[in-house]
Amino acid sequence: MTDRIEAAAAELRPLLQEFILWAPANAPGTKPDLVGPAVLWHRLDARDDVGLWQAGDLRAVLLERIPQVVEDPDEAADGMIPALRSYLTFLSETGRLAKGSASLDALLGELGEIEDDFVEAMEDVLAERDWDEEEDEFEDDEDESLGDFEPFADEIADLPTIRLRPDSELAAAARGVTLIAQARDLALWVGSGRKVGEETLLTEEEVKEAVRSVGLSDAQTLWNLWNLAIDLEFLAPDDDDTVSVDADTAAWPFEDDDDVLDAWLLGLHSVDYGDPELDDDDLTLALSGLTRALLVRVLVNGGSRSVGELREELAEAVTEYDDLGPDAWAAAGDPLAPVLTWLTGYGMVTVEGDEVRLTPLGVEGVVHMVDDADIDIDARPAIDAMTALDLLTLSADLPEEEADAEFAAWLGLREPARAAAELLEAAAEDDADALVRVQAASLVGSLGEVAVPAWSEALKVPSLRPYAATHLTQLDVEDAPEPTQADTHWLILDMWTLSAGLGRAEFVSSLHDIGPAQQIIGLLDVIWKVPHPHLEELLEAVGEAHPDKQVGKAAKRALFKARSRG
C-alpha cells in the first residue's frame, strides 16, 4: 500500500507543480503547498481521476480524512480552505476540472459550508494533541501501553532498508486471508435488517447458528469476527436495533488489487483482537497490546523471532507495564496462542516450529502501523519488483549516494541497454513531469554508449528529444541530430520547473544563472515558442519573481504571445 501512496503522489506531482507556479500571480497570499494532503487523499479515498471533484468529496476529505493525517492542524485551520479554493479555481481555469465534476461555484459553496466545521475539527485535533502532551509530561511512562512502538523508535530507525512487495503480490496474499473470508461469511449470514438486542446482539440460538454457518469450532472468536466484519465495512448498522450486510460483501475477494488492499488495511487494527480475553476485565486489560508488542519485537529482530524468546521477553514486559501483569499472564495459560492464531489468520505471520516470521503482507502492515505512530522507518519497494518509474520517483527523494546505490542494484537485474530503454519509456509517460524526465536523463546518461539505441528511440518523443540529441552528440554518434535552439530552451524550461518547485529563492537563483536582465529578456523574446507543458505558468512566475521590471514586462509579453498562438 505504501507504493500505492507513492504512485498517487508521483501522479499528482506535476499538477501540483503547475499549481504552485500558478498561485503567486492568481491567488496571492494563499499557501499552495497546503493543498497537498487534501489532494492526495482525494485521489486515494474518493476518485481515481485527480480532476474529478463531485459533491461531498470535500466534506469527506476535509472532515473525515484530514483530521486523521494532518501534521500541523493549526496551519491547516488557517490556510487549507483558502488554498483549496485557489486549487479548485486553478483546475477550472486551466481546463483540468474533469467532466462530471460539480461546478466551481458548487464546490466553492461546499467549502464555505464546511469551513467552520473544518476549523473546529482542527481545533479538536490540536486540543487532543495538547492533552496528550500534557499527559506525557505529567505521567511519563504511566501512559505507555504494552503495545506502544515508541520505545523501539531508535531500533526501528536503525533497521536496514525494508523492502516492500508490489501491490499485486500483496493483494494476492490478502485474497487468501482466512479471517476476512470468515468475516464475509458471517456478514452474509447476518443478511439484511437483522434485529439485534440491547444487551446481547444475538440470542443463544443465533450464536450457535452463526458458528455453524461460518464453520467455527466454538463461539469464542465469533464476536471478534463480528467486529472485524464491521471494520471491513462488510456489516453496518441500519438503525438502533438492526444491522445489515453491505451489498458488495459477497464479491470478496474483490477483483481490483486496490480494493482488496483497501479492505485489508481497514481491518489492520484488528490485530488488537488477538490479545487474550480473560474472565476478569482487569486482567484482560493488563494484557492489552500484547499482539502489537509481539509484532514490533519481531520487526526489530529483522522480521523473525523464536516463540521462546518472545514468550520470555513479553512476560517481563507485561510485568513491567502493569502490576497485575504476572497474574494475567498466568491466568491466560498460553498468552501467545490467541495472538499467533489471529496474526496467522490475518495473513501477517507464519509460525514454523519455534519461529515466528512476518509475511510480506505482515511487513506491509507493520510498516503502516509504524507510520501511524509517527516513527521514522526506511521502507522502499523491493528491487526485483521496482519499475523504472518507481526508481525515478524514489531517487528524487534520496541523498545522492543512496540514489546511486538503488540505481546500481536495480541495474544489476537487467541488461544496461534494456535499463536505458525502460527509464526513458517511464520518462515519456508524462510530458508534464520534468523531475522524472531529468532524473531519467541523468541515469541513462551515466550508461554511456550502451544507451545509444534508447537515446535514438527517444528522439521520437518531443519531451525527450532535447536530452537525446544532446547525449547522442556528446557520444559522437554518426548522423545524430545537433541540439537545436528549441532543444536548449526546453532544457531551460525543465530546469526552471524544478527550481520553481523548490521555492521562490531557488527559482530566482535559477533565473540569475541565465545571466543579466538583458540576456533574460532576449531569451523570453523567443522561448515562448516552445510547446512546453509548464510554459505559461513559468512565464507568469518569471514576471512575478524577477526583481527587474523590464524582465517582468518581457515575461508578460511572452505570456501573451504564448496564449495567443493557440
Side-chain angles (χ1 to χ4, degrees):
M1 183 54 62
T2 301
D3 45 344
R4 185 186 172 212
I5 294 174
E6 290 173 352
E11 177 187 349
L12 284 163
R13 186 181 295 116
L15 182 62
L16 291 177
Q17 285 176 342
E18 290 189 41
F19 172 57
I20 289 170
L21 292 170
W22 177 91
N26 296 277
T30 60
K31 297 180 179 179
D33 55 308
L34 289 181
V35 305
V39 173
L40 175 63
W41 286 104
H42 167 262
R43 170 63 181 83
L44 291 170
D45 285 355
R47 307 293 169 196
D48 291 335
D49 184 346
V50 298
L52 182 62
W53 289 80
Q54 296 181 340
D57 288 357
L58 290 163
R59 181 176 295 276
V61 171
L62 292 175
L63 300 186
E64 296 175 18
R65 174 59 76 174
I66 293 301
Q68 300 174 14
V69 300
V70 65
E71 292 184 5
D72 188 339
D74 198 22
E75 185 178 44
D78 288 340
M80 186 172 283
I81 295 289
L84 273 169
R85 284 196 186 99
S86 300
Y87 178 73
L88 292 169
T89 303
F90 160 75
L91 292 181
S92 179
E93 291 187 357
T94 59
R96 290 177 171 86
L97 194 60
K99 184 179 180 180
S101 295
S103 69
L104 177 61
D105 287 344
L107 292 171
L108 296 181
E110 184 176 346
L111 270 179
E113 290 173 6
I114 64 175
E115 183 167 11
D116 290 345
D117 291 338
F118 177 73
V119 171
E120 185 176 340
M122 293 301 98
E123 290 173 349
D124 289 344
V125 172
L126 198 59
E128 184 177 344
R129 291 181 184 178
D130 288 344
W131 174 260
D132 290 342
E133 288 174 6
E134 288 178 12
E135 285 187 333
D136 289 342
E137 181 180 349
F138 291 109
E139 298 180 24
D140 293 328
D141 293 341
E142 290 182 11
D143 276 349
E144 291 183 1
S145 74
L146 182 62
D148 279 349
F149 284 15
E150 185 59 38
F152 297 88
D154 291 340
E155 292 178 69
I156 293 171
D158 290 340
L159 285 172
T161 299
I162 293 172
R163 296 294 179 176
L164 304 173
R165 301 308 304 168
D167 281 359
S168 58
E169 292 184 21
L170 297 176
R175 288 185 178 97
V177 168
T178 303
L179 286 171
I180 296 183
Q182 290 177 328
R184 172 205 59 200
D185 293 345
L186 177 59
L188 292 175
W189 172 83
V190 168
S192 298
R194 180 177 290 270
K195 283 193 172 294
V196 291
E198 293 183 8
E199 295 184 6
T200 59
L201 293 175
L202 301 176
T203 66
E204 289 186 14
E205 285 304 312
E206 285 178 319
V207 168
K208 292 177 182 178
E209 185 183 341
V211 167
R212 287 195 302 270
S213 176
V214 179
L216 303 177
S217 58
D218 54 53
Q220 185 173 356
T221 60
L222 178 64
W223 299 118
N224 284 337
L225 276 179
W226 182 283
N227 290 332
L228 177 58
I230 291 174
D231 294 338
L232 295 169
E233 298 178 356
F234 287 175
L235 274 182
D238 299 317
D239 48 42
D240 290 341
D241 63 350
T242 62
V243 64
S244 292
V245 62
D246 184 81
D248 294 330
T249 299
W252 177 266
F254 309 134
E255 291 185 10
D256 183 78
D257 288 348
D258 287 345
D259 291 342
V260 170
L261 291 175
D262 285 346
W264 188 83
L265 285 172
L266 282 175
L268 180 59
H269 80 270
S270 75
V271 296
D272 296 326
Y273 305 157
D275 295 346
E277 296 181 37
L278 307 176
D279 293 336
D280 187 303
D281 289 344
D282 290 334
L283 296 182
T284 296
L285 189 60
L287 297 180
S288 176
L290 184 62
T291 310
R292 292 174 183 263
L294 181 143
L295 283 172
V296 72
R297 284 165 172 80
V298 175
L299 174 69
V300 298
N301 199 56
S304 65
R305 192 83 185 270
S306 78
V307 176
E309 290 174 348
L310 287 167
R311 183 174 285 111
E312 181 178 347
E313 186 173 328
L314 288 168
E316 293 178 3
V318 166
T319 299
E320 177 183 343
Y321 279 107
D322 197 297
D323 292 339
L324 292 175
D327 293 338
W329 191 268
D334 181 2
L336 297 192
V339 169
L340 294 174
T341 297
W342 190 270
L343 290 177
T344 302
Y346 209 64
M348 295 187 71
V349 305
T350 58
V351 182
E352 296 181 6
D354 191 49
E355 183 183 53
V356 178
R357 180 177 295 276
L358 288 173
T359 64
L361 200 57
V363 172
E364 180 80 16
V366 177
V367 166
H368 273 273
M369 293 164 70
V370 171
D371 284 340
D372 288 345
D374 200 23
I375 295 172
D376 290 335
I377 186 168
D378 184 7
R380 308 175 189 173
I383 294 292
D384 66 319
M386 190 183 291
T387 66
L389 186 58
D390 288 337
L391 175 69
L392 293 169
T393 303
L394 174 66
S395 298
D397 296 324
L398 292 177
E400 185 175 351
E401 243 181 72
E402 289 187 44
D404 289 345
E406 291 290 302
F407 178 48
W410 182 84
L411 184 61
L413 299 179
R414 52 194 35 83
E415 293 295 325
R418 182 60 205 156
E422 289 181 23
L423 289 166
L424 292 177
E425 287 167 7
E429 288 183 17
D430 186 356
D431 288 349
D433 199 333
L435 180 58
V436 163
R437 186 161 53 246
V438 171
Q439 284 285 122
S442 175
L443 295 180
V444 175
S446 71
L447 298 176
E449 292 186 359
V450 73
V452 167
W455 282 129
S456 299
E457 189 67 21
L459 287 170
K460 304 173 186 176
V461 182
S463 63
L464 295 179
R465 181 203 141 79
Y467 296 93
T470 301
H471 282 276
L472 289 171
T473 300
Q474 290 172 350
L475 292 168
D476 294 324
V477 175
E478 188 176 353
D479 297 328
E482 291 283 336
T484 65
Q485 185 184 60
D487 290 333
T488 302
H489 291 166
W490 181 282
L491 298 178
I492 290 172
L493 289 168
D494 269 0
M495 292 304 108
W496 281 358
T497 302
L498 299 192
S499 63
L502 296 174
R504 186 186 181 93
E506 286 289 339
F507 183 59
V508 172
S509 176
S510 71
L511 295 178
H512 289 313
D513 288 343
I514 299 296
Q518 203 57 42
Q519 191 168 343
I520 297 177
I521 291 171
L523 176 63
L524 292 171
D525 283 343
V526 293
I527 206 169
W528 63 268
K529 300 174 184 178
V530 179
H532 192 280
H534 297 298
L535 175 66
E536 294 183 15
E537 292 89 348
L538 289 168
L539 292 175
E540 287 182 353
V542 172
E544 175 73 22
H546 200 283
D548 190 294
K549 291 182 179 179
Q550 295 305 313
V551 171
K553 290 180 180 179
K556 290 179 181 178
R557 288 196 303 271
L559 178 60
F560 176 78
K561 292 177 182 178
R563 287 174 171 169
S564 299
R565 70 181 173 190

